[in-house]
Structures are given as C-alpha cells and as structure tokens.
C-alpha cells in the first residue's frame, strides 16, 4: 500500500478548475456507503457525463439494496473492477480518511490527482486537493457547489441523487447540521424536477418485512445505563440470518436506541463479515461529542454521529466502549 497522501485545502473554484478540462474521472465513495455516499457519487458521475466527460463510479464493498432506486445505480462498478486504466483524476466523496476508500486509493498511480470532497470534521486531508466543509450537512451539499461552479446541468437524475444524499445525512432535515443553505439547495433540487415521494418512499416506506421484524427484535432487546441516558442494541449475523436479511441491508439500526426518550448517547454494536471485528455506531442527541470517542478508537465522523471498527467480538467490545462513554459523561461530555 502506498503512503497516505497529504495535501492542501482547496476552494470550490480550485476543485472545479481541475475538472473543467474534463480529465478522465474515477468517482468513489466510502465503504459501507450510506445515502450521502452513493447519492453524491451517482450525482457526480451523471453530472460529469452530462458535461461530456468520461467518468466511472467504482465502489468498495457491498451497497445496501435500499439505494437501488437511485438513478444511475446500475452503472456502479464493484471494486476491484473498473480500476484499469487509471484515471487522470480520482474524486473521493464522503470519506473521512484514506482507509475508507481502500483499495481504490492505493490502486491509483502517482500521476492520478486525488480530489477529496467531504464534510467530516475528522477528515485527514488524504487527497492532493481537499475540499472539506464541516458546516455542510451532507457531502451532497459540497458537491452541489462544485457542480454549480462547473456549470453542470442539474438534470432530474443528478438532482434526485443529491436530494437523497441530503435527506439521508440530515435525518430528513432534522439533525443539527441542517441549515438554511441545506433547504435552499433542496428548493433548487425541487425546482429541477425531483419528486420527493420518489426518494422518501423507497428510503422509508418500503422496508422489507424481515428487516421490520428484525427491528422489532432489537427494540425488545434494547438495554440502557445511566438512568436511560445511554442506550444500545446489538446486531449479530445469526439474528440477520433468522430474519432473512442481508447484513448490508440492516442499516440505520442505531436509530432505534437514539429515538428513545431521555437517551443522550446511543450505540449499535454489530458483527461484521470479518471475524473478530465489531462495527460500532454512535449517535449523540446532547452535548457529548461522539466523534471524539470514535477518533480515539481509529474511526471518525461528526459530533452527533460517528463510528469505528474495533477488534473483538460484540461481547468483548461492548463493555469497554460503554465504560468509555460513561466516563465521557462523568467528565462533562469530553
Ligand atoms: P455510521 O455509524 O456508520 O452510520 O457512521 C456515522 C458517521 O461516522 C458517518 O458520517 C460515517 O461516515 C462516520 N464513520 C463511521 N465509521 C467510520 C470510520 N471507521 N472512520 C471514519 N468515519 C466513520
Ligand atoms: Mn457517509
Ligand atoms: Mn455524509
């Protein structure tokens, strides 16, 4: 693996200037992609093609089936396919650190210019040029600014993908990062011809029955500490198999403990497809910053939503992490 790149911060104009001559582009987004990752990457792909550019979208790892409705989905190439020939420019979207876009990043020769467009406060600036706006509620917002600077046509397909990225990363316009700018962009996307029900419907009103039953089982097993200020659930492969749900499709289950009255910090501990590795998702509804806990454990994210992968089984990882959260509470939200 090549050493991580480290570059300078760039402006929207500078990123657009790199793309304006339409170099051969490879778009990618972080592993275990959420709606912002897939939505932003598909928006970039289709906008670039609409400008007349040659682009591919290569994604690391499986994609949850809930995103299949997005325009352009069938054009996505699964890594390591699609890496040859190397592009002139790699555009990484919604990835806070280099490991989140491996093995795509390492496959790039030194001549390929790496653009890192993101909104995570923990972003490590692994690109040659880095456009990171932690004020943006979604990477789709940052990308929207780049596409506007480029003069890319806001087709209904591009607009739908950007809208999906914004809707998912803002918790349907409800998380703290949602600002006036978020709604202005959403208004522009509506003017471009998107139909909100065609995004919200597939995302939120089309849950497979097995996943709904699995959700029920997690609700029944939910546990709390600190008089209900800390709540968590656990997801095992066995539970997924029993419910007939693919692991990759069991997303957003951390919303279960996070939605409970009185909960300030919520956690989800889930088995991964790598033995002895547990994925931890953290959410905060109060002042405790979960990104700090995630960063200390090699992950990243935002103050109110962060994650990391830890060594050990769910049972081994759970107690030390819960204890660390309890200590952070005791320290006044450090
Ligand atoms: P998740 O818990 O996976 O829904 O992620 C919550 C937030 O934290 C998202 O913005 C992710 O991009 C970010 N995140 C999750 N896991 C990691 C990780 N291992 N490294 C960096 N950021 C992460
Ligand atoms: Mn994301
Ligand atoms: Mn995002």
């Amino acid at each position: 693996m090549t050493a991580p790149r480290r570059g300078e911060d760039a402006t929207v104009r500078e990123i657009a200037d790199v793309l304006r001559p339409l170099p051969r582009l490879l778009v990618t987004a972080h592993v275990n992609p959420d709606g912002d990752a897939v939505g932003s990457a598909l928006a970039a792909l289709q906008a670039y093609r609409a400008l007349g550019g040659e682009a591919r979208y290569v994604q690391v790892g499986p994609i949850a089936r809930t995103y299949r409705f997005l325009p352009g989905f069938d054009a996505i190439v699964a890594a390591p396919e699609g890496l040859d020939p190397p592009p002139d420019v790699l555009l990484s979207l919604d990835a806070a650190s280099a490991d989140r876009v491996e093995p795509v990043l390492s496959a790039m020769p030194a001549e390929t210019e790496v653009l890192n467009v993101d909104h995570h406060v923990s972003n490590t600036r692994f690109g040659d040029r880095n456009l990171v706006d932690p004020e943006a509620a979604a990477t789709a917002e940052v990308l929207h600014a780049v596409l506007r600077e480029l003069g890319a046509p806001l087709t209904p397909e591009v607009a739908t993908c950007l809208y999906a990225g914004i809707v998912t990363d803002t918790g349907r316009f409800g998380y703290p990062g949602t600002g006036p700018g978020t709604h202005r962009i959403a208004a522009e996307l509506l003017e471009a011809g998107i139909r909100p029900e065609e995004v919200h419907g597939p995302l939120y009103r089309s849950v497979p029955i097995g996943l709904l039953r699995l959700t029920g089982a997690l609700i029944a097993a939910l546990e709390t500490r600190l008089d209900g200020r800390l709540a968590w659930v656990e997801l095992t492969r066995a539970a997924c198999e029993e419910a007939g749900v693919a692991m990759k499709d069991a997303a957003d289950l951390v919303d279960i403990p996070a939605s409970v009255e009185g909960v300030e910090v919520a956690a989800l501990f889930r088995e991964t497809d790598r033995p002895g590795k547990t994925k931890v998702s953290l959410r905060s509804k109060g002042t405790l910053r979960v990104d700090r806990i995630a960063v200390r454990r090699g992950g990243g994210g935002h103050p109110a939503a962060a994650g990391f992968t830890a060594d050990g089984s769910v049972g081994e990882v759970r107690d030390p992490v819960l204890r660390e959260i309890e200590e952070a509470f005791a320290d006044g939200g450090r």
Side-chain angles (χ1 to χ4, degrees):
M1 223 189 272
T2 50
R5 299 163 193 253
R6 282 253 166 177
E8 298 296 316
D9 278 333
T11 61
V12 169
R13 161 83 60 83
E14 284 163 346
I15 297 292
D17 283 346
V18 172
L19 298 173
R20 210 180 305 279
L22 300 178
R24 282 173 310 143
L25 183 68
L26 196 155
V27 178
T28 197
H30 67 74
V31 67
N32 296 319
D34 48 29
D36 190 27
V38 187
S40 295
L42 283 174
L45 175 78
Q46 293 173 103
Y48 202 72
R49 286 179 175 172
L51 282 166
E54 186 189 322
R56 291 167 270 167
Y57 168 15
V58 176
Q59 175 64 49
V60 184
I63 306 174
R65 52 179 291 153
T66 175
Y67 303 121
R68 277 188 203 165
F69 75 96
L70 287 170
F73 187 90
D74 291 341
I76 302 175
V77 180
E81 297 297 314
L83 296 173
D84 273 330
D88 301 316
V89 172
L90 173 71
L91 173 60
S92 167
L93 293 163
D94 203 40
S97 51
D99 56 300
R100 303 273 288 159
V101 283
E102 293 298 1
V104 171
L105 184 63
S106 297
M108 296 298 117
E111 309 81 72
T112 294
E113 178 157 7
V114 177
L115 306 181
N116 165 18
V117 173
D118 184 37
H119 68 130
H120 290 90
V121 68
S122 61
N123 191 288
T124 61
R125 307 313 196 259
F126 60 87
D128 298 310
R129 291 173 204 259
N130 305 277
L131 175 62
V132 181
D133 181 5
E135 303 277 304
T139 292
E141 276 190 26
V142 191
L143 178 66
H144 172 267
V146 173
L147 296 181
R148 173 188 282 171
E149 180 71 31
L150 269 174
L154 207 50
T155 63
E157 290 78 20
V158 171
T160 298
C161 292
L162 291 174
Y163 188 79
I166 291 171
V167 166
T168 50
D169 253 30
T170 59
R172 313 184 214 182
F173 302 99
Y175 295 149
T178 311
T182 314
H183 283 277
R184 281 193 198 98
I185 294 170
E188 205 183 304
L189 301 176
L190 287 160
E191 282 161 359
I194 67 138
R195 295 163 62 97
E197 72 276 18
E198 289 179 3
V199 176
H200 290 260
L203 284 175
Y204 304 113
R205 291 192 292 273
S206 173
V207 184
I209 186 74
L211 180 52
L212 211 56
R213 292 198 199 287
L214 179 65
T215 305
L218 261 64
I219 294 171
L222 182 144
E223 293 190 69
T224 68
R225 283 191 191 178
L226 296 174
D227 293 326
R229 295 164 74 200
L230 168 59
W232 73 95
V233 290
E234 300 173 14
L235 181 69
T236 60
R237 304 196 66 78
C240 280
E241 276 163 28
E242 196 177 319
V245 175
M247 268 320 247
K248 71 177 173 66
D249 296 331
D252 300 331
L253 293 173
V254 69
D255 290 345
I256 295 170
S259 66
V260 177
E261 179 184 20
V263 166
E264 292 173 44
V265 172
L268 165 70
F269 300 92
R270 60 183 292 161
E271 273 182 47
T272 65
D273 41 20
R274 288 179 294 162
K277 297 271 184 194
T278 295
K279 168 77 207 272
V280 182
S281 293
L282 301 173
R283 299 291 183 270
S284 173
K285 295 197 286 182
T287 51
L288 194 144
R289 286 190 53 174
V290 288
D291 58 320
R292 293 187 176 155
I293 295 169
V295 166
R296 279 204 288 274
R297 289 176 175 264
H302 312 281
F308 61 93
T309 299
D311 288 325
S313 65
V314 168
E316 288 163 345
V317 167
R318 181 187 52 227
D319 284 319
V321 170
L322 292 175
R323 223 174 298 127
E324 186 169 342
I325 298 170
E326 287 179 313
E327 280 162 17
F329 269 114
D331 287 0
R334 179 182 51 89

